[in-house]
Amino acid sequence: MTVLIWSDGLRGYDLGEHPLDPVRLELTMALADELGVLRGLTVRAPRPADEATLRRVHSPEYLAAVRRAPDELVFHGYGLGTADTPCFDDMYAASALVAGATTQAAEAVWSGETKRAVSIAGGLHHAFAASAAGFCVFNDPAVAIARLLDLGAERVAYVDIDVHHGDGVQSIFYDDPRVLTVSLHETGYALFPGTGFAAETGGPGAEGSAVNVALPPGTDDAAWLRAFHAVVPGVLRAFKPQILITQCGADTHLLDPLADLRLTVDGQRAAYVALRGLADELCDGRWVATGGGGYSLSSAVPRAWTHLLAVASGQELDPLTPVPARWKKLAHQRRPHDDLPLRMTDDGTGRYTPWQPGLEPDSLDRAIMATRRAVYPLHGLDPLDVRD
């Protein structure tokens, strides 16, 4: 059984005329339904996170600001009311519902009720303890991780494959050796939030707890997968997590308007399969997956996350599956100017050449080596040994 935490109420996290449009959730759920994926999932309605749960991550002053900000004509401070993270009606309630959904997914997995759970509206990884940032009000992955720690988890691994650095989650747990944060993202030299470099490896007493792979613009499926497999399995095996939390932002896609990586839905699907395999190998299958970014609202995100739901529930879709006509009609109604996909593939392969140490001939391999040199010794690993 795989649990999906979902209700239409999660679409209430709506920033208005903004790239983070909840239509991507509507179209994802509609596509998964049309292709029969939802029939293989146990769908549970979310419960909002209460204030005590949110305060495990966010300051009381910040929570109070989120409550009052939408009612003030002009609000200043806490990262709210900006172009990136504007205030909106029922902001506190909508944000608490997203945080509650991801926490509920984590609780279901940790309790043994299910091995895998998905919070498709979650993944708001840029929010900090006392401020909003990057479209994110409450940091639902961090809230869920804090809840797991309260329930007795001793080693939680968080892997973030969004195109943007998972800066908020890293910041919140930077000094906590019980939480390993791993982020693969477009380099901060080229993209928001401007962080996530190899030298960011964790605070005092938690050295090696942060792992960052800063990828060059233009990184495609084969290069991204080479970087992933060169770093992520090794550090996860050394850390020996009890549960895996992932942020699966779809904004690495080549059609995404806000970033510059070049993945296909096939490369993204290969990443989900790899994450599931690592959870099976290291965590007895315990895997909590969240959504995240993704701004190609009809062409990329619904297909990517339908594949995520399919992989998480063990009912992989043939990439050659046609996109259903009824879904295309709905997508055209919602996004009349978008070019809609024909199939569940971009004709990618998901193949890659494994990384090997040597001459570091290009920017991608130099990024891999920088991360391995920075963090592998902190886990007792040889950065030049590919047998990890």
Side-chain angles (χ1 to χ4, degrees), residues 16-255:
E17 292 295 323
H18 190 278
L20 192 75
D21 191 323
V23 72
R24 68 201 185 125
L25 297 172
E26 179 188 10
L27 293 179
T28 295
M29 295 300 293
L31 182 58
D33 189 24
E34 286 290 333
L35 292 175
V37 173
L38 294 187
R39 290 195 291 273
L41 292 152
T42 299
V43 181
R44 301 269 173 80
R47 300 184 300 268
D50 61 24
E51 183 161 337
T53 301
L54 294 171
R55 285 178 66 168
R56 285 288 288 108
V57 166
H58 295 292
S59 72
E61 296 79 11
Y62 177 59
L63 295 180
V66 175
R67 285 188 187 277
R68 73 175 188 270
D71 296 328
E72 296 190 14
L73 185 61
V74 178
F75 184 90
H76 298 288
Y78 298 97
L80 297 166
T82 65
D84 270 0
T85 315
C87 298
F88 58 97
D89 291 341
D90 299 318
M91 182 167 64
Y92 186 101
S95 303
L97 191 63
V98 175
T102 303
T103 302
Q104 195 173 333
E107 290 172 339
V109 172
W110 186 252
S111 71
E113 177 188 353
T114 182
K115 291 288 189 182
R116 304 173 191 150
V118 182
S119 173
I120 201 68
L124 302 178
H125 59 167
H126 293 307
F128 290 87
S131 67
F135 313 166
C136 305
V137 177
F138 295 153
N139 194 314
D140 63 281
V143 171
I145 291 169
R147 176 61 176 156
L148 289 170
L149 297 176
D150 289 346
L151 291 172
E154 297 174 341
R155 295 181 309 282
V156 180
Y158 169 79
V159 178
D160 190 317
I161 59 173
D162 194 278
V163 80
H164 302 93
H165 177 224
D167 57 339
V169 183
Q170 175 182 289
S171 172
I172 289 162
F173 297 107
Y174 202 65
D175 299 320
D176 193 333
R178 298 173 296 173
V179 181
L180 177 73
T181 63
V182 183
S183 181
L184 291 88
H185 47 268
E186 185 174 345
T187 175
Y189 288 127
L191 191 66
F192 176 89
T195 55
F197 297 102
E200 299 168 32
T201 59
E207 293 86 351
S209 67
V211 181
N212 288 288
V213 186
L215 302 168
T219 296
D220 61 9
D221 286 349
W224 192 98
L225 291 166
R226 183 161 82 247
F228 178 96
H229 288 284
V231 172
V232 178
V235 294
L236 287 183
R237 288 170 183 145
F239 183 70
K240 298 181 175 61
Q242 297 164 298
I243 187 169
L244 178 63
I245 314 294
T246 64
Q247 199 270 19
C248 299
D251 42 8
T252 54
H253 195 270
L254 58 91
L255 294 178

